[in-house]
Amino acid sequence: MTNEFVLEAITREFPESVITHSEPYGLLTIEIKKEDIKKVIHYLKDSSLEINFLTDICGIHYPENPAKEIGVVYHLHNMMTNFRIRLKTFMPKENAEVDSMTDLYAGANWMERETFEFYGVKFKGHPDLRVILNMEDIDYHPLLKEYRLEDGTRTDKDDKMFGR
């Protein structure tokens, strides 16, 4: 199975869904319309392509691009042919919501909860979307780039230890 073969299969089946595609470091990466991401992943899993393992779901934040500020990235894998693919979908921060993949991949449960917790992406149809790694009363999403990387109020850190 090749990148060209899989890309052609996806664009043939979903001609209006593919926004862009590239192959950084040989990994087929396709940007898909937000409303079509579940249909495309369902097709990849249940078609003859048999891309049947969800490796990871993660979020990304591009605050300089309001129309595509929040993204969700899916890494999928066909274990038989060792073929890997990355799918991305983007949305404005105010409408950060995509369909849940938990009915396709049971492993998506915690990955979606983590993405919700750190980036604020809501997954429609998720059975238990709540915080799992931070304190339950957290009222912000800490991996958004609007927050500082370090706490400037800490006095227990010595910058000499960090090469600064």
Side-chain angles (χ1 to χ4, degrees), residues 25-68:
Y25 303 101
L27 178 63
L28 179 59
T29 302
I30 305 174
E31 183 182 342
I32 304 288
K33 288 182 181 177
K34 176 179 93 162
E35 56 272 7
D36 297 335
I37 191 71
K38 185 164 188 168
K39 290 187 286 190
V40 172
I41 291 175
H42 191 272
Y43 169 76
L44 291 172
K45 181 179 183 196
D46 289 344
S47 71
S48 62
L49 298 173
E50 296 179 331
I51 299 176
N52 49 17
F53 184 76
L54 176 66
T55 306
D56 191 27
I57 300 174
C58 59
I60 47 179
H61 183 213
Y62 295 121
E64 67 281 352
N65 188 352
K68 294 182 172 185

Side-chain angles (χ1 to χ4, degrees), residues 66-122:
K68 294 182 172 185
E69 186 171 359
I70 300 291
V72 179
V73 181
Y74 300 87
H75 290 99
L76 301 152
H77 188 184
N78 177 322
M79 298 289 212
M80 301 299 286
T81 63
N82 198 29
F83 180 81
R84 297 171 190 269
I85 185 171
R86 176 189 300 135
L87 300 177
K88 296 180 180 182
T89 190
F90 293 96
M91 64 216 75
K93 185 177 174 187
E94 304 80 46
N95 191 18
E97 184 176 79
V98 294
D99 291 321
S100 175
M101 301 297 160
T102 54
D103 56 333
L104 298 177
Y105 299 100
N109 190 324
W110 281 57
M111 294 181 230
E112 290 177 354
R113 287 174 68 180
E114 180 183 48
T115 305
F116 163 71
E117 180 174 356
F118 288 124
Y119 292 94
V121 178
K122 293 178 181 74

